[in-house]
Amino acid sequence: MTAVRLDHLGKVFDDGTVAVDDLSLEVADGELMVLLGPSGCGKSTVLRLVAGLETPTTGHVRFGDRIVDALHTRDRNVAMVFQHYALYPHLTVAQNIGFPLRSAPGVAELVASAAARLGLSDVLDRRPAQLSGGERQLVAMARALVRQPRVFLLDEPLAHLDAGLRAELRGEVAATARRVGVTTLYVTHDQVEALAVADRVAVLRDGVLQQVGTPGEVYDD
Ligand code: ADP
Ligand code: ADP
């Protein structure tokens, strides 16, 4: 099953910048697709189009068979994690993770399960200031996953961490997305990171899709 389909997607900004050019790509259910390319190649714009934060100039974004172009972000059931996560400093880890659920039934169980998946069970009572940078990023991911989104969007989630932590968390992020089974679009400019986490990699340059394949296929080229 195809979860997300980009269909001749294009984005031209008002100043004439062509950020995304006739991009067609299919992401399978539960797949972790990495968008890889240098700064300015259009990766974030693709994520923002999938999230509904930008409107396509041409083409469509489909979830399954449904064109979602007219759907508001909140109606797309996507969860996003950016490089600069914003946790609530006065709330505990558990309260941060549960925040999107407000007072829905079963919050405690959902929070506990999201925390366990990300190895955060022992820090649930801490506040963000008492966490390492890596732990904070994992809390941001747990908070995004707790609503059981249809599509998970990660924009350079490890870029601000130091090299050691980045290497450590690569495996963690990929393993979490697989365990949860959520369809994931993961943006990075770092080839090592892309090859480490991806089921498949889509290589972008100047808004144009250059190639799509498994890490083995892309690495061989
Ligand atoms: P990446 O995520 O790969 O760094 P972006 O998607 O952020 O690339 O940007 C792609 C291109 O679109 C760049 O040339 C960028 O300067 C331009 N761009 C991004 N957002 C806007 C905007 N709101 N208005 C005009 N140009 C933009
Ligand atoms: P980083 O290398 O990201 O800066 P730190 O050295 O800040 O990480 O944190 C290392 C470990 O110490 C982490 O597991 C973190 O949870 C814990 N820690 C950091 N600050 C505190 C604190 N004030 N109280 C309790 N634990 C803390």
Side-chain angles (χ1 to χ4, degrees):
M1 259 293 276
T2 302
V4 178
R5 188 191 309 260
L6 310 183
D7 192 7
H8 296 286
L9 194 63
K11 180 67 186 181
V12 182
F13 286 106
D14 289 344
D15 65 359
T17 303
V18 180
V20 180
D21 189 6
D22 195 36
L23 174 64
S24 293
L25 181 67
E26 292 186 2
V27 188
D29 237 343
E31 185 172 35
L32 198 169
M33 176 73 78
V34 169
L35 302 176
L36 173 69
S39 175
C41 75
K43 307 180 295 295
S44 296
T45 303
V46 172
L47 276 202
R48 294 172 58 79
L49 286 161
V50 173
L53 296 170
E54 300 283 358
T55 314
T57 310
T58 59
H60 301 290
V61 175
R62 292 173 204 263
F63 285 4
D65 287 333
R66 183 171 184 207
I67 293 176
V68 295
D69 297 349
L71 278 191
H72 208 275
T73 303
R74 65 169 174 269
D75 297 322
R76 293 187 186 199
N77 193 15
V78 296
M80 288 174 275
V81 173
F82 298 101
Q83 180 176 347
H84 298 288
Y85 45 78
L87 301 178
Y88 300 103
H90 58 290
L91 299 182
T92 65
V93 167
Q95 289 165 337
N96 266 284
I97 295 173
F99 194 82
L101 300 174
R102 301 197 176 80
S103 54
V107 170
E109 289 76 13
L110 290 168
V111 167
S113 134
R117 281 189 199 132
L118 287 149
L120 295 167
S121 302
D122 293 338
V123 298
L124 283 172
D125 294 329
R126 291 196 196 164
R127 287 176 210 279
Q130 298 168 303
L131 301 175
S132 69
E135 286 169 329
R136 276 182 223 142
Q137 188 59 295
L138 293 175
V139 173
M141 286 183 56
R143 185 177 60 182
L145 289 171
V146 79
R147 278 182 305 142
Q148 302 175 293
R150 177 163 190 177
V151 180
F152 191 27
L153 304 173
L154 295 154
D155 196 352
E156 300 274 7
L158 309 181
H160 66 290
L161 302 173
D162 66 47
L165 212 45
R166 215 155 55 227
E168 198 180 305
L169 285 191
R170 263 176 218 142
E172 194 111 32
V173 169
T176 300
R178 293 215 172 79
R179 250 189 329 261
V180 176
V182 63
T183 305
T184 302
L185 274 168
Y186 185 116
V187 160
T188 181
H189 66 276
D190 180 336
Q191 187 177 329
V192 174
E193 188 172 317
L195 299 177
V197 305
D199 292 323
R200 286 192 301 153
V201 182
V203 183
L204 285 180
R205 193 187 301 151
D206 296 335
V208 177
L209 184 62
Q210 304 287 314
Q211 52 175 339
V212 189
T214 63
E217 289 163 352
V218 169
Y219 189 69
D220 275 348
D221 288 350

